[in-house]
Amino acid sequence: MVSVLRRLLGSAAGIATTHLEWVALQIEAERRRLARLSMYAALTLLLLFTGIWLGVAGLLLWAEPSQRAAIAAGLALGFLAAAAVAACRWRRLSRHRRAFRWAPPGPSSP
């Protein structure tokens, strides 16, 4: 009887160890995925800002000197409006996140 209990506990411990190793692998894979996403997001933002600045500079140099102030103000308002829209979307998206794809959805998930 004692040997049966020992084997049963050994099997349960083996299953628990396997499950914990699997969870550790999932966490490591998710960490690597988030690191890659962060790197590509930073690169994308750098290239986007560079393109925007060069475009604005080109537009301002191309425009007549008397119109440059109005064009700069209009571009600033446009960028501020785009930033406000992006901030609202970012906030909405950040509310509905799950740590793992295999995790069951929480009460606030869509």
Side-chain angles (χ1 to χ4, degrees), residues 1-11:
M1 183 70 170
V2 173
S3 65
V4 172
L5 286 175
R6 281 186 186 162
R7 279 190 304 176
L8 182 63
L9 287 175
S11 296

Side-chain angles (χ1 to χ4, degrees), residues 21-87:
E21 288 173 357
W22 179 76
V23 168
L25 287 173
Q26 289 292 319
I27 289 172
E28 181 64 23
E30 192 69 17
R31 187 191 64 79
R32 277 193 232 127
R33 187 184 73 82
L34 288 174
R36 270 194 317 271
L37 282 174
S38 298
M39 182 184 67
Y40 285 125
L43 180 62
T44 301
L45 288 174
L46 173 70
L47 294 173
L48 176 69
F49 290 144
T50 302
I52 287 172
W53 279 110
L54 288 174
V56 167
L59 182 64
L60 290 176
L61 289 174
W62 178 68
E64 294 291 325
S66 61
Q67 297 174 346
R68 287 182 184 164
I71 290 173
L75 286 172
L77 288 175
F79 287 133
L80 287 174
V85 169

Side-chain angles (χ1 to χ4, degrees), residues 9 12-13 31 62 72 84 87 95-96 99 102 109:
L9 287 175
R31 187 191 64 79
W62 178 68
R95 286 189 218 143
H96 301 291
W102 49 266
S109 293

